[in-house]
Amino acid sequence: MRSVGGDNFGDAMTSLTDALEQIRSGDNIDYDQALKLATGNEPAALYKAADRLRKEMQGDHFDLCSIINARSGKCSENCKFCAQSSRYQTEIETYDIIAYEEVRRQGLENESLGVARYSLVTAGREVSDKDIESFASMYGQLGHESDLYFCASMGFLTSNKANKLVAAGVKRYHCNLETCRSFFPRICTTHTWEEKVETIRIAREAGMDICSGGIIGLGESFGQRLELALELRELEVLSIPINILTPIPGTPLGEVERLSLGEVLTCIAMFRLINPRAVVRLAGGRAQLGDQQYRCFQSGANGAIVGNYLTTTGNSVIEDLQMIESLGFSTGGVDAKK
Ligand code: SF4
């Protein structure tokens, strides 16, 4: 047995000590190594190693963001997990473009609580040129009234749309891969994984940095979660939201079994080991873990979406901040990668 700072982490074949040394030296772990690390170590040792790596490479800053559902439901696409697809009978509220007053109210409220990032999120495959103008105008107005750091999540982009968002002050674009390339066709057939990668490319080319992650618990294998983590690294994504599926009645995944806490924590830890430079951000579905969700922040995660989620219930912001700070993190501001 070898040790890291006095903690024993496993044998030579699956040594977390060796893996951490390799990662610190700038040499990434590959799929086979990741699988061995996840299956050949005690879960508690894996979580501890991931937490240590997070602290060493990212410090104690915790990256908070908030989102507002700027257009809800009536989506043409068929993502099997999603309450907002018009193909499924769900009980969500649907509306077209949200009123600016509501965007402003929620943005300023979040800012007053210390949540610096704010994203408008729209349901649907894409946003029309006309609607992009409306959202750009909202960003522009709110930019005059706040110091919020703007993100956007508006489906597939063209260069023209991306440039309009950038001109309005949007700094980061969110486009989840949702799941790995090999599993994606089992989850959605109305668009492709490659189209998502293309939007990431367009957003980056326009000058935005990228937030992209996925949902775990869709029926993918553990190996496919590792594939997603590796694909995100390949795309050099530095903000990775991880959603935990909340099965929504009426969707094709409405009855699937929920992931256990252990499965979630192992996934978080592996995303950290595979993506040591990224903010690993706990996103939708975390409330289903109750107070145990905070263990994610001791297993490699260092960011979260706070406040109201799109169609699943989130934690209250103040409660979140208290818990996160009690774990030794500092909140406020944005992470180093702007
Ligand atoms: S995930 Fe997005 S594209 Fe897919 S159904 Fe939901 S709103 Fe539409």
Side-chain angles (χ1 to χ4, degrees):
M1 299 281 270
R2 300 176 61 187
S3 68
V4 173
D7 300 311
N8 291 324
F9 281 134
D11 65 28
M13 284 300 291
T14 54
S15 167
L16 286 162
T17 305
D18 290 347
L20 292 192
E21 278 173 15
Q22 178 182 335
I23 295 164
R24 280 187 206 105
S25 75
D27 187 8
N28 289 322
I29 58 171
D30 62 20
Y31 179 89
D32 290 340
Q33 285 177 300
L35 198 56
K36 278 185 188 166
L37 288 168
T39 55
N41 286 285
E42 285 296 322
L46 184 70
Y47 309 155
K48 198 167 180 178
D51 189 46
R52 184 182 298 273
L53 188 69
R54 181 275 303 165
K55 197 173 176 68
E56 284 176 6
M57 299 200 63
Q58 306 246 331
D60 287 329
H61 179 258
F62 194 94
D63 201 66
L64 296 165
C65 63
S66 58
I67 58 180
I68 182 169
N69 207 358
R71 182 176 74 190
S72 181
K74 302 185 198 166
C75 178
S76 61
E77 307 302 285
N78 71 352
C79 309
K80 284 186 180 171
F81 54 83
C82 186
Q84 307 209 52
S85 169
S86 61
R87 296 164 190 248
Y88 314 133
Q89 297 292 321
T90 60
E91 293 183 353
I92 59 157
E93 183 189 2
T94 64
Y95 49 87
D96 287 327
I97 294 184
I98 195 168
Y100 173 68
E101 270 316 302
E102 188 57 19
V103 171
R104 177 180 181 277
R105 188 189 68 75
Q106 288 195 34
L108 296 183
E109 184 178 310
N110 283 317
E111 185 177 40
S112 73
L113 292 169
V115 183
R117 293 186 191 281
Y118 187 47
S119 183
L120 274 61
V121 178
T122 59
R125 180 184 170 86
E126 62 194 356
V127 169
S128 68
D129 288 323
K130 180 169 154 284
D131 289 352
I132 279 280
E133 299 280 3
S134 303
F135 291 125
S137 160
M138 293 185 195
Y139 282 117
Q141 284 185 67
L142 193 51
H144 288 301
E145 297 187 65
S146 73
D147 291 318
L148 285 162
Y149 178 103
F150 293 134
C151 309
S153 180
M154 300 189 170
F156 294 127
L157 285 176
T158 60
S159 295
N160 191 34
K161 289 175 191 172
N163 290 335
K164 285 199 169 130
L165 291 174
V166 170
V170 177
K171 300 277 197 306
R172 173 175 282 185
Y173 199 73
H174 168 261
C175 180
N176 271 351
L177 295 181
E178 310 299 10
T179 192
C180 67
R181 186 179 200 161
S182 67
F183 192 67
F184 192 90
R186 298 268 307 276
I187 287 303
C188 174
T189 57
T190 48
H191 56 264
T192 64
W193 188 91
E194 288 77 8
E195 285 177 275
K196 287 176 169 285
V197 172
E198 175 61 7
T199 274
I200 287 172
R201 188 193 66 73
I202 291 169
R204 188 172 268 150
E205 193 175 78
M208 291 182 273
D209 62 51
I210 302 299
C211 178
S212 180
I215 307 176
I216 57 173
L218 301 171
E220 77 286 349
S221 66
F222 178 70
Q224 286 172 318
R225 285 174 213 147
L226 298 181
E227 285 176 36
L228 174 62
L230 289 158
E231 287 161 354
L232 292 164
R233 187 177 74 198
E234 185 73 23
L235 289 166
E236 299 179 13
V237 173
L238 293 180
S239 169
I240 302 180
I242 298 180
N243 298 271
I244 306 158
L245 180 72
T246 302
I248 296 172
T251 65
L253 299 183
E255 304 293 328
V256 302
E257 199 175 327
R258 292 170 192 251
L259 293 182
S260 67
L261 175 65
E263 287 172 301
V264 173
L265 295 178
T266 297
C267 181
I268 297 272
M270 294 315 300
F271 269 65
R272 163 58 57 217
L273 295 181
I274 292 170
N275 291 277
R277 286 164 200 81
V279 169
V280 175
R281 188 183 305 276
L282 199 55
R286 66 190 173 102
Q288 64 189 284
L289 301 176
D291 283 349
Q292 295 295 316
Q293 66 177 278
Y294 296 104
R295 291 180 61 188
C296 295
F297 308 133
Q298 298 171 300
S299 305
N302 61 340
I305 301 180
V306 297
N308 294 321
Y309 289 79
L310 297 179
T311 56
T312 56
T313 312
N315 303 38
S316 84
V317 176
I318 291 170
E319 188 186 326
D320 265 341
L321 292 181
Q322 284 171 347
M323 286 300 294
I324 290 162
E325 287 169 6
S326 76
L327 296 173
F329 287 100
S330 61
T331 59
V334 293
D335 60 82
K337 176 70 184 172
K338 297 179 185 178

